[in-house]
């Protein structure tokens, strides 16, 4: 099983659509979870951290299910500017064997069309 | 907003040559990292650096690679004898804390595109 696995995509949606990204991780002891966004040939940028209780930031909602080792991201009312690659990212933490590194999924490309 | 600065933005080098990629992390950050991304592939961890020493490195980070913090601001990645497969985007990052950077995550620099010919 890959360390972090995401929907391969790509996703093409019209403006205003709701789109969901799924991710699974293999290290059950992992401590910290994130969604990053990466525009073409640019650096990854933090979109949001993901908590067990779930968290919401405007149109974006992230969920974590530790029992299933599953992370999700929901984008509502998608905008043209949401077009990017969405990266699921896990940090094992001290209990997971590494306090330092981030493990990235390959990413899912989203294109929002007018 | 504080930034991580990387130079150069693009470097072309001949196979077998040494390259040094430079980074200026955010000034009050304590943890520094190098990641790379081969075109079309995922972002991969290379090395982390804390308290003036390597805290963790990946299998990719072999004897050809080294990191240094020569002064209070710069953080460099040296590749001693470049190979074609070293062609990639190299990202420097810094964080205030470990464990993924906590709620603030990582701040990545805009990257250096290394092309080995």
């Amino acid at each position: 099983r890959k360390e972090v696995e995401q929907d391969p995509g790509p996703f093409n949606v019209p403006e205003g659509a709701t789109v969901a990204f799924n991710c699974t991780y293999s290290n059950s002891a992992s401590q910290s979870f994130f969604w990053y966004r990466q525009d073409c040939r640019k650096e990854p940028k933090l979109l949001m951290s993901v908590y067990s209780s779930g968290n919401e930031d405007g149109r974006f909602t992230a969920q974590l299910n530790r029992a299933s080792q599953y992370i999700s991201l929901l984008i509502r009312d998608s905008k043209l500017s949401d077009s990017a690659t969405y990266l699921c990212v896990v940090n094992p933490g001290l209990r997971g064997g590494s306090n330092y590194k981030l493990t990235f999924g390959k990413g899912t490309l989203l294109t929002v069309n007018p | 907003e504080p930034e991580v600065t990387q130079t150069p933005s693009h470097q072309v080098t001949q196979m077998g040559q040494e390259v040094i990629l430079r980074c200026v992390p955010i000034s009050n950050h304590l943890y520094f990292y190098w990641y790379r991304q081969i075109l079309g592939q995922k972002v991969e961890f290379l090395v982390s650096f804390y308290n003036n020493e390597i805290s963790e490195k990946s299998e990719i980070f072999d004897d050809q690679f080294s990191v240094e913090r020569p002064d209070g601001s710069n953080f460099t990645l040296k590749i001693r004898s470049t190979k074609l497969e070293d062609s990639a985007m190299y990202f420097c990052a810094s964080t205030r804390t470990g464990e993924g950077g906590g709620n603030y995550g990582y701040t990545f620099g805009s990257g250096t595109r290394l092309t080995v010919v």
Side-chain angles (χ1 to χ4, degrees):
Chain A
R1 187 176 177 182
K2 290 181 186 171
E3 287 185 276
V4 178
E5 197 155 3
Q6 296 186 239
D7 293 327
F11 294 168
N12 282 279
V13 303
E15 267 187 292
T18 295
V19 59
F21 300 89
N22 301 307
C23 172
T24 56
Y25 60 95
S26 61
N27 184 346
S28 60
S30 293
Q31 297 299 302
S32 307
F33 309 90
F34 309 90
W35 285 101
Y36 277 72
R37 163 197 174 126
Q38 186 175 29
D39 293 293
C40 188
R41 294 182 176 250
K42 301 282 189 183
E43 74 274 22
K45 291 189 176 176
L46 179 67
L47 184 64
M48 55 200 305
S49 302
V50 188
Y51 307 112
S52 297
S53 54
N55 46 305
E56 189 172 310
D57 182 3
R59 298 181 293 109
F60 299 84
T61 301
Q63 298 270 343
L64 167 65
N65 184 322
R66 285 186 184 270
S68 305
Q69 294 173 217
Y70 168 81
I71 309 162
S72 65
L73 174 69
L74 190 75
I75 304 177
R76 287 181 300 278
D77 188 24
S78 51
K79 314 283 185 204
L80 297 177
S81 57
D82 294 334
S83 297
T85 296
Y86 288 83
L87 306 173
C88 178
V89 183
V90 174
N91 170 253
L94 283 171
R95 275 178 276 170
S98 168
N99 194 31
Y100 301 105
K101 75 176 188 183
L102 295 181
T103 301
F104 285 76
K106 200 171 175 190
T108 304
L109 176 63
L110 172 66
T111 303
V112 181
N113 302 301
Chain B
E1 190 173 322
E3 287 184 345
V4 173
T5 307
Q6 288 187 245
T7 54
S9 56
H10 190 189
Q11 174 133 15
V12 181
T13 189
Q14 288 203 322
M15 195 167 55
Q17 295 295 304
E18 175 182 287
V19 294
I20 297 177
L21 310 184
R22 302 180 192 280
C23 171
V24 179
I26 292 173
S27 61
N28 64 348
H29 283 187
L30 301 175
Y31 298 77
F32 315 115
Y33 312 84
W34 284 101
Y35 284 75
R36 79 170 186 191
Q37 187 174 30
I38 295 170
L39 189 64
Q41 298 190 25
K42 65 180 182 178
V43 178
E44 298 176 291
F45 170 77
L46 291 178
V47 65
S48 59
F49 193 86
Y50 170 69
N51 203 23
N52 285 318
E53 60 183 20
I54 290 174
S55 44
E56 186 171 349
K57 58 184 181 180
S58 72
E59 290 169 358
I60 303 167
F61 194 89
D62 61 21
D63 292 342
Q64 295 284 80
F65 291 88
S66 61
V67 289
E68 199 175 37
R69 190 156 158 83
D71 52 42
S73 59
N74 291 287
F75 179 51
T76 61
L77 174 70
K78 184 194 290 187
I79 309 176
R80 262 180 272 284
S81 178
T82 49
K83 309 187 203 56
L84 295 176
E85 54 264 38
D86 294 327
S87 295
M89 182 74 96
Y90 288 81
F91 293 110
C92 174
S94 67
T95 59
R96 284 189 229 178
T97 66
E99 301 222 346
N103 291 341
Y104 301 98
Y106 277 35
T107 303
F108 284 90
S110 56
T112 294
R113 181 167 299 283
L114 177 66
T115 303
V116 182
V117 297

